[in-house]
Amino acid sequence: AGTVTAGTTPQCIGGTTTYTVSGVVLGGGSGAWSSSNGSIATVNPSTGVVTAVSAGTCNIIYTVTGGCGGTKTASKPYTVTANNTIAAGVNRTTCINTPITSISLATTGATGATFSGLPAGVTGSWSANTVTISGTPTVSGTFNYTVTMTGGCTGGTNTATGTITVDPYNTIAAGVNRTTCINT
């Protein structure tokens, strides 16, 4: 049936690409595109436009039927990559100049993360599919942070948000001396 030329693979869920076929002699038959697993990818039978549906690997197939020579097929693998995920953000409360209890968020699919809204003295890092936020805040206030996944497929849950509340130290004004008479 010829040679199938692959479109873009791996593909993110929801993405589209086009497969083509060359060297086809229909001999009075007709050709159509299909997928070996429609739950992973769907294919427009006449155009070869492939839509990624879910993570996994299947084959994109071109089949010639009818005419001389009977049924012939050609295929190429197609891989769909899962979208990024990150666990929900976590809220923390601490006192100024006191370390926060470390925040760990599980991720999948990404190759890194960016961080915004963290108080001075607190940093974020990404390694081995885990986001870690830790440190000692040096300013007080309420800080709404956002973690955004980078790399991979960004069509899934790609951000997490939370709040770090940093309370100032208790304060009291200096005592005042007074002098008075008894019973006054």
Side-chain angles (χ1 to χ4, degrees):
T3 302
V4 173
T5 303
T8 303
T9 187
Q11 188 79 39
C12 296
I13 294 173
T16 61
T17 190
T18 302
Y19 274 56
T20 59
V21 66
S22 61
V24 174
V25 177
L26 294 178
S30 62
W33 291 97
S34 63
S35 169
S36 65
N37 188 332
S39 65
I40 294 174
T42 60
V43 185
N44 180 308
S46 59
T47 65
V49 174
V50 180
T51 301
V53 177
S54 65
T57 299
C58 63
N59 287 312
I60 304 304
I61 305 162
Y62 188 78
T63 304
V64 175
T65 56
C68 299
T71 301
K72 303 288 184 189
T73 62
S75 67
K76 278 279 190 188
Y78 179 72
T79 301
V80 180
T81 301
N83 290 328
N84 296 345
T85 63
I86 184 170
V90 175
N91 299 332
R92 290 284 189 255
T93 299
T94 192
C95 294
I96 191 170
N97 297 320
T98 302
I100 66 167
T101 301
S102 183
I103 298 170
S104 292
L105 307 175
T107 71
T108 61
T111 58
T114 60
F115 302 83
S116 64
L118 295 173
V122 175
T123 59
S125 64
W126 178 93
S127 179
N129 289 319
T130 301
V131 162
T132 303
I133 298 172
S134 60
T136 303
T138 58
V139 292
S140 61
T142 300
F143 301 89
N144 297 311
Y145 70 87
T146 301
V147 180
T148 303
M149 305 313 300
T150 59
C153 291
T154 59
T157 304
N158 205 43
T159 61
T161 59
T163 302
I164 297 174
T165 304
V166 183
D167 294 327
Y169 286 127
N170 296 335
T171 59
I172 188 168
V176 176
N177 298 329
R178 292 285 189 257
T179 302
T180 190
C181 296
I182 191 169
N183 298 321
T184 301

